[in-house]
């Protein structure tokens, strides 16, 4: 994992020796106990930051839990300051300096580019499944994860850096308005609200977040400012028909995924509309697993333009291409229901945050139980309170799950090819449309040359000066 020298903290482990552009080594792993950094070593690295190789101001550290926590803290410290300032009514100018905000987003983007698996590590819940001590902390954690996930999704879709910076700036602040709502900090009251009341809360906190951003004179280009305000004000209920604001859709999907699967003070989730919940089922009105969320999004948006591109992007970000097979959930259920003893269990558990890879037999702990499908390979399952229990795999059904997952990966490859072919066709159509215009222009030029003695390229027919036309000039000067 590449990390900026200003982000280094003691106990991070070097992944490789620190070299200088001159060819010598500044620090080697052997010189450090267990390869871990100390304050003194960090000071030395920072002193020679401009001379580091192969990239100035960067060193390679192991992507362990310490490193991931440090990445998380890049935004957390600033978000905590802004949250406290909003609550107390104080100013928070340093955070909203446009350069500072861009730099923060660029640092996050930089880490995601050099560490594409970072998102999966963050969502393995070693970090994000810890119940926070306060409502404010949960809100900050949510904002951090949404910022990371939205940028990761944009990178997966190969969006421009400018678009990603806009999304990142909006993501950092998108829910800060919640702190100014009448309901805060007692967000548990959301659980007692009717659908219409929840929609009112959505509108209120989106509006407050926009006001929060607009209070400070951030020196952004008018288009950039308008784009960020649009993203923040519509991040829960975007207009899917508005092709001008795809960035708003991107934040919507990142926000939806995180809020659906991460711990919150309130149990209710309002990311899906009441109409969508009627279609998908009531479980989507509460916290659920990543697999369920992605399956729900596939069901809602398959084949539906930019929204479908983003859903496929999310599937790839989390490396769950297997879910793209037609009717994945139903087929998995059929495999489990095949067991005549009703004791087949998918692992990881269906509807959790990881794809099921194995089927184990719940009756295999009984020494008197026998089944022709039960294999001899055992699997250890972690139960509550840190307990571990061993079960036998079901050889027959595990093989069927493997085949289902293979089918999903093949489906994903076909989808990629289909998208590639569509883009080629669109380019070919654009060229075909441009050719008649070019041919017409060429024909007009030939006519002019015939009329004016072959000098059509040098003199305009109505040019009385006799001076040849020069190259087109820019109205803005040099």
């Amino acid at each position: 994992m590449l990390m900026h020298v200003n982000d280094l903290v003691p106990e991070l482990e070097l992944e490789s020796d620190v070299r200088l552009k001159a060819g010598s080594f500044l620090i080697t792993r052997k010189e450090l106990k267990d390869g871990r950094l100390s304050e003194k070593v960090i000071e030395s690295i920072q002193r020679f930051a401009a001379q580091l190789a192969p990239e100035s101001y960067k060193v390679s550290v192991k992507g362990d839990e310490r490193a991931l926590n440090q990445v998380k803290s890049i935004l957390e410290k600033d978000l905590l300051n802004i949250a406290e300032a909003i609550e107390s009514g104080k100013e928070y100018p340093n955070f909203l300096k446009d350069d500072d905000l861009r730099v923060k987003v660029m640092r996050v983007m930089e880490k995601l580019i050099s560490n594409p698996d970072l998102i999966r590590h963050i969502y393995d819940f070693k970090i994000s499944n810890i119940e926070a001590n306060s409502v404010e902390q949960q809100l900050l954690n949510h904002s951090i994860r949404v910022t990371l996930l939205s940028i990761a999704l944009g990178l997966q879709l190969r969006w421009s850096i400018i678009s990603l910076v806009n999304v990142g700036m909006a993501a950092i602040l998108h829910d800060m308005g919640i702190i100014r709502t009448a309901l805060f900090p007692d967000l548990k009251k959301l659980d007692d609200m009717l659908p219409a009341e929840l929609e009112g809360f959505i509108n209120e906190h989106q509006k407050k977040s926009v006001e929060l951003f607009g209070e400070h004179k951030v020196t952004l280009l008018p288009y950039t400012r308008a784009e960020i305000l649009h993203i923040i004000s519509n991040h829960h209920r975007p207009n899917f028909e508005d092709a001008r604001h795809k960035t708003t859709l991107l934040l919507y999907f990142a926000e939806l995924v995180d809020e659906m699967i991460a711990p919150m003070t309130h149990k209710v989730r309002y990311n899906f509309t009441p109409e969508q919940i009627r279609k998908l089922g009531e479980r989507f009105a509460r916290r659920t697993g990543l697999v369920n969320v992605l399956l729900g999004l596939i069901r809602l948006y398959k084949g539906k333009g930019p929204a479908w591109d983003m859903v496929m992007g999310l599937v790839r970000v989390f490396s769950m291409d297997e879910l793209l097979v037609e009717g994945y959930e139903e087929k998995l259920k059929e495999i489990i229901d095949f067991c005549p003893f009703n004791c087949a269990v998918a692992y990881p558990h269906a509807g959790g945050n990881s794809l099921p890879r194995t089927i184990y037999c719940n009756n295999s702990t009984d020494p008197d139980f026998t089944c022709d499908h039960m294999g001899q390979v055992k699997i250890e399952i972690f139960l509550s309170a840190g307990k571990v229990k061993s079960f036998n795999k079901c050889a027959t059904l595990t093989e069927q799950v493997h085949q289902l997952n293979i089918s999903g990966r093949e489906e994903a490859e076909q989808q990629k090819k289909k998208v590639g072919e569509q883009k080629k066709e669109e380019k070919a159509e654009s060229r075909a449309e441009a050719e008649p215009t070019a041919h017409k222009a060429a024909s007009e030029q030939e006519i002019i040359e015939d009329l004016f003695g072959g000098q059509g390229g040098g003199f305009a027919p109505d040019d009385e000066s006799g001076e040849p036309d020069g190259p087109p000039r820019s109205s803005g000067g040099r």
Side-chain angles (χ1 to χ4, degrees), residues 358-398:
T358 300
I359 303 290
Y360 69 84
C361 178
N362 209 22
N363 288 351
S364 60
T365 54
D366 181 355
D368 297 325
F369 178 77
T370 59
C371 174
D372 293 339
H373 302 289
M374 189 167 65
Q376 299 302 311
V377 178
K378 289 192 174 289
I379 181 172
E380 290 189 335
I381 305 297
F382 288 87
L383 307 175
S384 58
K387 295 180 180 178
V388 179
K389 199 170 183 179
S390 291
F391 296 89
N392 286 70
K393 287 185 180 182
C394 177
T396 302
L397 300 188
T398 294

mmCIF file of all heavy atoms in Angstrom, residues 358-398:
data_model
loop_
_atom_site.group_PDB
_atom_site.id
_atom_site.type_symbol
_atom_site.label_atom_id
_atom_site.label_comp_id
_atom_site.label_asym_id
_atom_site.label_seq_id
_atom_site.Cartn_x
_atom_site.Cartn_y
_atom_site.Cartn_z
ATOM 1 N N THR A 358 -19.668 -22.699 0.287
ATOM 2 C CA THR A 358 -19.714 -24.081 0.789
ATOM 3 C C THR A 358 -21.098 -24.368 1.358
ATOM 4 O O THR A 358 -21.776 -23.457 1.833
ATOM 5 C CB THR A 358 -18.657 -24.266 1.902
ATOM 6 O OG1 THR A 358 -17.367 -24.007 1.368
ATOM 7 C CG2 THR A 358 -18.687 -25.675 2.461
ATOM 8 N N ILE A 359 -21.481 -25.632 1.317
ATOM 9 C CA ILE A 359 -22.681 -26.093 2.027
ATOM 10 C C ILE A 359 -22.225 -27.118 3.058
ATOM 11 O O ILE A 359 -21.553 -28.095 2.725
ATOM 12 C CB ILE A 359 -23.707 -26.755 1.080
ATOM 13 C CG1 ILE A 359 -24.119 -25.793 -0.043
ATOM 14 C CG2 ILE A 359 -24.923 -27.236 1.860
ATOM 15 C CD1 ILE A 359 -24.954 -24.627 0.386
ATOM 16 N N TYR A 360 -22.567 -26.869 4.327
ATOM 17 C CA TYR A 360 -22.214 -27.858 5.356
ATOM 18 C C TYR A 360 -23.473 -28.503 5.922
ATOM 19 O O TYR A 360 -24.585 -27.963 5.800
ATOM 20 C CB TYR A 360 -21.350 -27.243 6.460
ATOM 21 C CG TYR A 360 -22.024 -26.237 7.369
ATOM 22 C CD1 TYR A 360 -22.761 -26.644 8.482
ATOM 23 C CD2 TYR A 360 -21.882 -24.864 7.149
ATOM 24 C CE1 TYR A 360 -23.351 -25.721 9.328
ATOM 25 C CE2 TYR A 360 -22.463 -23.944 7.986
ATOM 26 C CZ TYR A 360 -23.209 -24.368 9.076
ATOM 27 O OH TYR A 360 -23.790 -23.466 9.921
ATOM 28 N N CYS A 361 -23.277 -29.643 6.550
ATOM 29 C CA CYS A 361 -24.392 -30.426 7.087
ATOM 30 C C CYS A 361 -24.561 -30.126 8.573
ATOM 31 O O CYS A 361 -23.665 -30.406 9.374
ATOM 32 C CB CYS A 361 -24.140 -31.914 6.870
ATOM 33 S SG CYS A 361 -25.440 -32.961 7.568
ATOM 34 N N ASN A 362 -25.700 -29.592 8.947
ATOM 35 C CA ASN A 362 -25.965 -29.219 10.340
ATOM 36 C C ASN A 362 -26.125 -30.444 11.234
ATOM 37 O O ASN A 362 -25.978 -30.354 12.462
ATOM 38 C CB ASN A 362 -27.223 -28.344 10.405
ATOM 39 C CG ASN A 362 -27.191 -27.385 11.572
ATOM 40 O OD1 ASN A 362 -26.130 -27.062 12.099
ATOM 41 N ND2 ASN A 362 -28.357 -26.945 11.996
ATOM 42 N N ASN A 363 -26.423 -31.599 10.622
ATOM 43 C CA ASN A 363 -26.603 -32.840 11.404
ATOM 44 C C ASN A 363 -25.308 -33.630 11.559
ATOM 45 O O ASN A 363 -25.292 -34.677 12.204
ATOM 46 C CB ASN A 363 -27.650 -33.747 10.749
ATOM 47 C CG ASN A 363 -29.056 -33.203 10.908
ATOM 48 O OD1 ASN A 363 -29.277 -32.238 11.638
ATOM 49 N ND2 ASN A 363 -30.026 -33.804 10.211
ATOM 50 N N SER A 364 -24.226 -33.140 10.946
ATOM 51 C CA SER A 364 -22.985 -33.923 10.930
ATOM 52 C C SER A 364 -22.326 -34.024 12.307
ATOM 53 O O SER A 364 -21.411 -34.832 12.501
ATOM 54 C CB SER A 364 -21.989 -33.328 9.922
ATOM 55 O OG SER A 364 -21.664 -31.994 10.263
ATOM 56 N N THR A 365 -22.768 -33.220 13.262
ATOM 57 C CA THR A 365 -22.216 -33.330 14.624
ATOM 58 C C THR A 365 -22.786 -34.535 15.373
ATOM 59 O O THR A 365 -22.264 -34.942 16.406
ATOM 60 C CB THR A 365 -22.516 -32.053 15.437
ATOM 61 O OG1 THR A 365 -23.922 -31.786 15.405
ATOM 62 C CG2 THR A 365 -21.772 -30.856 14.848
ATOM 63 N N ASP A 366 -23.867 -35.100 14.834
ATOM 64 C CA ASP A 366 -24.476 -36.296 15.425
ATOM 65 C C ASP A 366 -23.733 -37.533 14.902
ATOM 66 O O ASP A 366 -23.782 -37.818 13.700
ATOM 67 C CB ASP A 366 -25.951 -36.357 15.045
ATOM 68 C CG ASP A 366 -26.667 -37.560 15.652
ATOM 69 O OD1 ASP A 366 -25.990 -38.397 16.296
ATOM 70 O OD2 ASP A 366 -27.887 -37.666 15.466
ATOM 71 N N PRO A 367 -23.033 -38.287 15.750
ATOM 72 C CA PRO A 367 -22.235 -39.439 15.285
ATOM 73 C C PRO A 367 -23.082 -40.537 14.638
ATOM 74 O O PRO A 367 -22.559 -41.349 13.856
ATOM 75 C CB PRO A 367 -21.554 -39.951 16.564
ATOM 76 C CG PRO A 367 -22.351 -39.392 17.684
ATOM 77 C CD PRO A 367 -22.931 -38.104 17.209
ATOM 78 N N ASP A 368 -24.387 -40.562 14.925
ATOM 79 C CA ASP A 368 -25.257 -41.599 14.362
ATOM 80 C C ASP A 368 -25.874 -41.192 13.025
ATOM 81 O O ASP A 368 -26.547 -42.003 12.380
ATOM 82 C CB ASP A 368 -26.391 -41.930 15.353
ATOM 83 C CG ASP A 368 -25.856 -42.507 16.662
ATOM 84 O OD1 ASP A 368 -24.849 -43.247 16.599
ATOM 85 O OD2 ASP A 368 -26.423 -42.202 17.725
ATOM 86 N N PHE A 369 -25.657 -39.941 12.628
ATOM 87 C CA PHE A 369 -26.279 -39.467 11.392
ATOM 88 C C PHE A 369 -25.453 -39.899 10.178
ATOM 89 O O PHE A 369 -24.225 -39.797 10.173
ATOM 90 C CB PHE A 369 -26.402 -37.945 11.402
ATOM 91 C CG PHE A 369 -26.995 -37.382 10.145
ATOM 92 C CD1 PHE A 369 -28.364 -37.448 9.917
ATOM 93 C CD2 PHE A 369 -26.180 -36.813 9.164
ATOM 94 C CE1 PHE A 369 -28.903 -36.926 8.749
ATOM 95 C CE2 PHE A 369 -26.717 -36.300 8.001
ATOM 96 C CZ PHE A 369 -28.090 -36.354 7.789
ATOM 97 N N THR A 370 -26.125 -40.387 9.144
ATOM 98 C CA THR A 370 -25.450 -40.772 7.892
ATOM 99 C C THR A 370 -26.210 -40.206 6.694
ATOM 100 O O THR A 370 -27.436 -40.044 6.735
ATOM 101 C CB THR A 370 -25.375 -42.304 7.735
ATOM 102 O OG1 THR A 370 -26.698 -42.844 7.754
ATOM 103 C CG2 THR A 370 -24.548 -42.925 8.847
ATOM 104 N N CYS A 371 -25.457 -39.899 5.646
ATOM 105 C CA CYS A 371 -26.062 -39.376 4.416
ATOM 106 C C CYS A 371 -25.094 -39.634 3.277
ATOM 107 O O CYS A 371 -23.874 -39.414 3.427
ATOM 108 C CB CYS A 371 -26.350 -37.873 4.560
ATOM 109 S SG CYS A 371 -26.950 -37.117 3.030
ATOM 110 N N ASP A 372 -25.605 -40.110 2.149
ATOM 111 C CA ASP A 372 -24.755 -40.428 1.001
ATOM 112 C C ASP A 372 -24.047 -39.194 0.436
ATOM 113 O O ASP A 372 -23.009 -39.313 -0.225
ATOM 114 C CB ASP A 372 -25.588 -41.066 -0.114
ATOM 115 C CG ASP A 372 -26.106 -42.442 0.292
ATOM 116 O OD1 ASP A 372 -25.513 -43.045 1.207
ATOM 117 O OD2 ASP A 372 -27.106 -42.901 -0.309
ATOM 118 N N HIS A 373 -24.604 -38.014 0.677
ATOM 119 C CA HIS A 373 -24.044 -36.782 0.103
ATOM 120 C C HIS A 373 -22.983 -36.148 1.002
ATOM 121 O O HIS A 373 -22.252 -35.264 0.557
ATOM 122 C CB HIS A 373 -25.161 -35.763 -0.148
ATOM 123 C CG HIS A 373 -26.243 -36.272 -1.052
ATOM 124 N ND1 HIS A 373 -26.050 -36.474 -2.399
ATOM 125 C CD2 HIS A 373 -27.527 -36.637 -0.787
ATOM 126 C CE1 HIS A 373 -27.172 -36.931 -2.947
ATOM 127 N NE2 HIS A 373 -28.086 -37.039 -1.987
ATOM 128 N N MET A 374 -22.907 -36.561 2.250
ATOM 129 C CA MET A 374 -21.996 -35.924 3.191
ATOM 130 C C MET A 374 -20.557 -36.332 2.912
ATOM 131 O O MET A 374 -20.237 -37.504 2.753
ATOM 132 C CB MET A 374 -22.377 -36.301 4.638
ATOM 133 C CG MET A 374 -21.616 -35.501 5.692
ATOM 134 S SD MET A 374 -22.324 -35.690 7.346
ATOM 135 C CE MET A 374 -22.010 -37.440 7.649
ATOM 136 N N GLY A 375 -19.670 -35.333 2.844
ATOM 137 C CA GLY A 375 -18.263 -35.601 2.600
ATOM 138 C C GLY A 375 -17.496 -35.789 3.893
ATOM 139 O O GLY A 375 -18.044 -35.654 4.998
ATOM 140 N N GLN A 376 -16.206 -36.057 3.754
ATOM 141 C CA GLN A 376 -15.343 -36.259 4.925
ATOM 142 C C GLN A 376 -14.604 -34.976 5.328
ATOM 143 O O GLN A 376 -14.047 -34.897 6.415
ATOM 144 C CB GLN A 376 -14.315 -37.358 4.617
ATOM 145 C CG GLN A 376 -14.934 -38.717 4.306
ATOM 146 C CD GLN A 376 -15.805 -39.206 5.455
ATOM 147 O OE1 GLN A 376 -15.396 -39.197 6.613
ATOM 148 N NE2 GLN A 376 -17.030 -39.633 5.119
ATOM 149 N N VAL A 377 -14.640 -33.981 4.446
ATOM 150 C CA VAL A 377 -13.933 -32.722 4.732
ATOM 151 C C VAL A 377 -14.723 -31.921 5.760
ATOM 152 O O VAL A 377 -15.936 -31.745 5.641
ATOM 153 C CB VAL A 377 -13.757 -31.887 3.454
ATOM 154 C CG1 VAL A 377 -13.056 -30.567 3.771
ATOM 155 C CG2 VAL A 377 -12.965 -32.677 2.424
ATOM 156 N N LYS A 378 -14.013 -31.449 6.783
ATOM 157 C CA LYS A 378 -14.673 -30.685 7.834
ATOM 158 C C LYS A 378 -14.443 -29.187 7.633
ATOM 159 O O LYS A 378 -13.472 -28.764 7.019
ATOM 160 C CB LYS A 378 -14.165 -31.110 9.213
ATOM 161 C CG LYS A 378 -14.643 -32.497 9.630
ATOM 162 C CD LYS A 378 -14.359 -32.751 11.096
ATOM 163 C CE LYS A 378 -14.960 -34.076 11.550
ATOM 164 N NZ LYS A 378 -16.431 -34.023 11.620
ATOM 165 N N ILE A 379 -15.355 -28.407 8.163
ATOM 166 C CA ILE A 379 -15.246 -26.950 8.111
ATOM 167 C C ILE A 379 -15.540 -26.406 9.495
ATOM 168 O O ILE A 379 -16.458 -26.871 10.177
ATOM 169 C CB ILE A 379 -16.225 -26.363 7.061
ATOM 170 C CG1 ILE A 379 -16.081 -24.834 7.013
ATOM 171 C CG2 ILE A 379 -17.666 -26.753 7.334
ATOM 172 C CD1 ILE A 379 -16.866 -24.187 5.886
ATOM 173 N N GLU A 380 -14.738 -25.429 9.921
ATOM 174 C CA GLU A 380 -14.938 -24.815 11.235
ATOM 175 C C GLU A 380 -15.762 -23.547 11.085
ATOM 176 O O GLU A 380 -15.437 -22.658 10.297
ATOM 177 C CB GLU A 380 -13.588 -24.489 11.891
ATOM 178 C CG GLU A 380 -12.825 -25.737 12.322
ATOM 179 C CD GLU A 380 -11.606 -25.386 13.153
ATOM 180 O OE1 GLU A 380 -11.088 -24.249 12.996
ATOM 181 O OE2 GLU A 380 -11.169 -26.234 13.946
ATOM 182 N N ILE A 381 -16.854 -23.477 11.840
ATOM 183 C CA ILE A 381 -17.766 -22.347 11.778
ATOM 184 C C ILE A 381 -17.665 -21.555 13.074
ATOM 185 O O ILE A 381 -17.746 -22.120 14.167
ATOM 186 C CB ILE A 381 -19.228 -22.818 11.577
ATOM 187 C CG1 ILE A 381 -19.327 -23.720 10.335
ATOM 188 C CG2 ILE A 381 -20.170 -21.629 11.472
ATOM 189 C CD1 ILE A 381 -18.976 -23.041 9.044
ATOM 190 N N PHE A 382 -17.471 -20.246 12.925
ATOM 191 C CA PHE A 382 -17.396 -19.371 14.103
ATOM 192 C C PHE A 382 -18.808 -19.009 14.542
ATOM 193 O O PHE A 382 -19.582 -18.414 13.798
ATOM 194 C CB PHE A 382 -16.596 -18.105 13.778
ATOM 195 C CG PHE A 382 -15.130 -18.368 13.629
ATOM 196 C CD1 PHE A 382 -14.603 -18.758 12.402
ATOM 197 C CD2 PHE A 382 -14.278 -18.252 14.707
ATOM 198 C CE1 PHE A 382 -13.251 -19.007 12.251
ATOM 199 C CE2 PHE A 382 -12.916 -18.509 14.577
ATOM 200 C CZ PHE A 382 -12.402 -18.893 13.344
ATOM 201 N N LEU A 383 -19.128 -19.371 15.765
ATOM 202 C CA LEU A 383 -20.435 -19.082 16.329
ATOM 203 C C LEU A 383 -20.343 -17.831 17.202
ATOM 204 O O LEU A 383 -19.322 -17.163 17.256
ATOM 205 C CB LEU A 383 -20.921 -20.282 17.146
ATOM 206 C CG LEU A 383 -20.916 -21.627 16.395
ATOM 207 C CD1 LEU A 383 -21.295 -22.753 17.338
ATOM 208 C CD2 LEU A 383 -21.859 -21.581 15.206
ATOM 209 N N SER A 384 -21.415 -17.496 17.883
ATOM 210 C CA SER A 384 -21.413 -16.320 18.747
ATOM 211 C C SER A 384 -20.468 -16.528 19.929
ATOM 212 O O SER A 384 -20.134 -17.652 20.290
ATOM 213 C CB SER A 384 -22.834 -16.051 19.262
ATOM 214 O OG SER A 384 -23.329 -17.177 19.958
ATOM 215 N N ALA A 385 -20.069 -15.405 20.525
ATOM 216 C CA ALA A 385 -19.180 -15.406 21.697
ATOM 217 C C ALA A 385 -17.837 -16.067 21.408
ATOM 218 O O ALA A 385 -17.206 -16.623 22.311
ATOM 219 C CB ALA A 385 -19.866 -16.084 22.874
ATOM 220 N N GLY A 386 -17.406 -16.058 20.157
ATOM 221 C CA GLY A 386 -16.082 -16.556 19.800
ATOM 222 C C GLY A 386 -15.955 -18.065 19.781
ATOM 223 O O GLY A 386 -14.839 -18.594 19.669
ATOM 224 N N LYS A 387 -17.050 -18.784 19.875
ATOM 225 C CA LYS A 387 -17.000 -20.247 19.865
ATOM 226 C C LYS A 387 -16.846 -20.770 18.437
ATOM 227 O O LYS A 387 -17.329 -20.176 17.479
ATOM 228 C CB LYS A 387 -18.260 -20.832 20.497
ATOM 229 C CG LYS A 387 -18.405 -20.518 21.981
ATOM 230 C CD LYS A 387 -19.675 -21.128 22.538
ATOM 231 C CE LYS A 387 -19.836 -20.810 24.028
ATOM 232 N NZ LYS A 387 -21.096 -21.359 24.573
ATOM 233 N N VAL A 388 -16.152 -21.901 18.313
ATOM 234 C CA VAL A 388 -15.932 -22.522 17.003
ATOM 235 C C VAL A 388 -16.479 -23.947 17.036
ATOM 236 O O VAL A 388 -16.272 -24.678 18.012
ATOM 237 C CB VAL A 388 -14.423 -22.553 16.651
ATOM 238 C CG1 VAL A 388 -14.198 -23.230 15.309
ATOM 239 C CG2 VAL A 388 -13.857 -21.144 16.636
ATOM 240 N N LYS A 389 -17.172 -24.331 15.969
ATOM 241 C CA LYS A 389 -17.751 -25.680 15.898
ATOM 242 C C LYS A 389 -17.436 -26.294 14.541
ATOM 243 O O LYS A 389 -17.457 -25.601 13.511
ATOM 244 C CB LYS A 389 -19.269 -25.606 16.099
ATOM 245 C CG LYS A 389 -19.913 -26.926 16.487
ATOM 246 C CD LYS A 389 -21.363 -26.700 16.888
ATOM 247 C CE LYS A 389 -22.018 -27.997 17.351
ATOM 248 N NZ LYS A 389 -23.427 -27.780 17.761
ATOM 249 N N SER A 390 -17.112 -27.577 14.500
ATOM 250 C CA SER A 390 -16.762 -28.266 13.259
ATOM 251 C C SER A 390 -17.958 -29.010 12.681
ATOM 252 O O SER A 390 -18.704 -29.680 13.421
ATOM 253 C CB SER A 390 -15.623 -29.261 13.502
ATOM 254 O OG SER A 390 -14.423 -28.577 13.786
ATOM 255 N N PHE A 391 -18.125 -28.890 11.366
ATOM 256 C CA PHE A 391 -19.189 -29.599 10.647
ATOM 257 C C PHE A 391 -18.574 -30.259 9.411
ATOM 258 O O PHE A 391 -17.521 -29.850 8.926
ATOM 259 C CB PHE A 391 -20.283 -28.632 10.187
ATOM 260 C CG PHE A 391 -21.032 -27.953 11.303
ATOM 261 C CD1 PHE A 391 -20.573 -26.752 11.824
ATOM 262 C CD2 PHE A 391 -22.196 -28.504 11.826
ATOM 263 C CE1 PHE A 391 -21.257 -26.111 12.842
ATOM 264 C CE2 PHE A 391 -22.873 -27.873 12.845
ATOM 265 C CZ PHE A 391 -22.414 -26.673 13.356
ATOM 266 N N ASN A 392 -19.260 -31.265 8.887
ATOM 267 C CA ASN A 392 -18.851 -31.885 7.631
ATOM 268 C C ASN A 392 -19.476 -31.141 6.459
ATOM 269 O O ASN A 392 -20.644 -30.736 6.515
ATOM 270 C CB ASN A 392 -19.279 -33.350 7.577
ATOM 271 C CG ASN A 392 -18.430 -34.234 8.455
ATOM 272 O OD1 ASN A 392 -18.499 -34.156 9.679
ATOM 273 N ND2 ASN A 392 -17.628 -35.086 7.849
ATOM 274 N N LYS A 393 -18.681 -30.980 5.402
ATOM 275 C CA LYS A 393 -19.233 -30.388 4.184
ATOM 276 C C LYS A 393 -20.159 -31.376 3.491
ATOM 277 O O LYS A 393 -19.948 -32.584 3.554
ATOM 278 C CB LYS A 393 -18.115 -30.014 3.213
ATOM 279 C CG LYS A 393 -17.300 -28.801 3.609
ATOM 280 C CD LYS A 393 -16.308 -28.461 2.504
ATOM 281 C CE LYS A 393 -15.458 -27.261 2.848
ATOM 282 N NZ LYS A 393 -14.534 -26.918 1.755
ATOM 283 N N CYS A 394 -21.163 -30.844 2.806
ATOM 284 C CA CYS A 394 -21.982 -31.676 1.926
ATOM 285 C C CYS A 394 -21.300 -31.670 0.566
ATOM 286 O O CYS A 394 -21.276 -30.636 -0.120
ATOM 287 C CB CYS A 394 -23.403 -31.125 1.822
ATOM 288 S SG CYS A 394 -24.430 -32.061 0.670
ATOM 289 N N ALA A 395 -20.738 -32.790 0.183
ATOM 290 C CA ALA A 395 -19.946 -32.859 -1.046
ATOM 291 C C ALA A 395 -20.787 -32.538 -2.280
ATOM 292 O O ALA A 395 -20.363 -31.772 -3.161
ATOM 293 C CB ALA A 395 -19.319 -34.243 -1.176
ATOM 294 N N THR A 396 -21.994 -33.079 -2.354
ATOM 295 C CA THR A 396 -22.851 -32.908 -3.528
ATOM 296 C C THR A 396 -23.289 -31.461 -3.690
ATOM 297 O O THR A 396 -23.161 -30.861 -4.767
ATOM 298 C CB THR A 396 -24.086 -33.808 -3.425
ATOM 299 O OG1 THR A 396 -23.667 -35.169 -3.306
ATOM 300 C CG2 THR A 396 -24.975 -33.661 -4.649
ATOM 301 N N LEU A 397 -23.805 -30.866 -2.612
ATOM 302 C CA LEU A 397 -24.356 -29.513 -2.703
ATOM 303 C C LEU A 397 -23.261 -28.454 -2.800
ATOM 304 O O LEU A 397 -23.449 -27.422 -3.449
ATOM 305 C CB LEU A 397 -25.267 -29.237 -1.505
ATOM 306 C CG LEU A 397 -26.478 -30.178 -1.358
ATOM 307 C CD1 LEU A 397 -27.406 -29.684 -0.262
ATOM 308 C CD2 LEU A 397 -27.243 -30.291 -2.680
ATOM 309 N N THR A 398 -22.101 -28.715 -2.182
ATOM 310 C CA THR A 398 -20.988 -27.774 -2.312
ATOM 311 C C THR A 398 -20.533 -27.675 -3.763
ATOM 312 O O THR A 398 -20.244 -26.582 -4.265
ATOM 313 C CB THR A 398 -19.815 -28.203 -1.412
ATOM 314 O OG1 THR A 398 -20.208 -28.104 -0.037
ATOM 315 C CG2 THR A 398 -18.591 -27.336 -1.633
#
